[in-house]
Amino acid sequence: MAHAARAGLLTWLIAMAGSAMAMTPLTTLQQAASQCFANPSAARCDGVWDLSAQLKQQAEKNEQLGCYSSLLALESMVSMAKLGSQDHAQQTKALQTTSRECP
């Protein structure tokens, strides 16, 4: 199961790399989170917070509760990664949910 989850995360990362030409705040956040998941050091994970805060403010302003909630879930995955808890399936799900919920 862990191998399949990692494969899913890698597939998602490859797809994100392909869209690097059209960088948006959301893709920048997702890439920062992915880097954190791959190597959860403070230097890699700390970049997530400012980006997420900006996107949450935008989601709140536009009354996009689904987007706001998905950003909170992604933040929780980053926090868990920093604490040493890696759930690759949940990390992948959080990344995919932000793609779906945040325009």
Side-chain angles (χ1 to χ4, degrees), residues 71-93:
L71 293 167
L72 289 174
L74 186 61
E75 286 179 349
S76 72
M77 291 293 104
V78 168
S79 293
M80 290 174 63
K82 283 181 65 174
L83 294 172
S85 176
Q86 293 277 17
D87 185 336
H88 299 287
Q90 289 297 319
Q91 291 169 344
T92 301
K93 182 178 177 182

Side-chain angles (χ1 to χ4, degrees), residues 39-94:
N39 183 8
S41 65
R44 291 200 182 257
C45 298
D46 288 346
V48 169
W49 305 114
D50 287 337
L51 292 166
S52 183
Q54 292 171 7
L55 289 168
K56 286 189 303 186
Q57 286 176 349
Q58 183 179 4
E60 183 177 12
K61 177 182 171 186
N62 295 325
E63 298 180 8
Q64 297 168 323
L65 184 58
C67 178
Y68 193 97
S69 297
S70 69
L71 293 167
L72 289 174
L74 186 61
E75 286 179 349
S76 72
M77 291 293 104
V78 168
S79 293
M80 290 174 63
K82 283 181 65 174
L83 294 172
S85 176
Q86 293 277 17
D87 185 336
H88 299 287
Q90 289 297 319
Q91 291 169 344
T92 301
K93 182 178 177 182

Side-chain angles (χ1 to χ4, degrees), residues 24-39:
T24 65
L26 179 60
T27 57
T28 303
L29 170 66
Q30 291 169 326
Q31 287 181 347
S34 295
Q35 291 173 357
C36 173
F37 298 153
N39 183 8

Side-chain angles (χ1 to χ4, degrees), residues 1-19 30-31 33-35 37-39 87-93 95-96:
M1 180 67 178
H3 181 68
R6 285 186 182 173
L9 181 58
L10 288 175
T11 301
W12 187 87
L13 287 170
I14 291 167
M16 289 303 299
S19 66
Q30 291 169 326
Q31 287 181 347
S34 295
Q35 291 173 357
F37 298 153
N39 183 8
D87 185 336
H88 299 287
Q90 289 297 319
Q91 291 169 344
T92 301
K93 182 178 177 182
L95 289 166
Q96 291 171 340

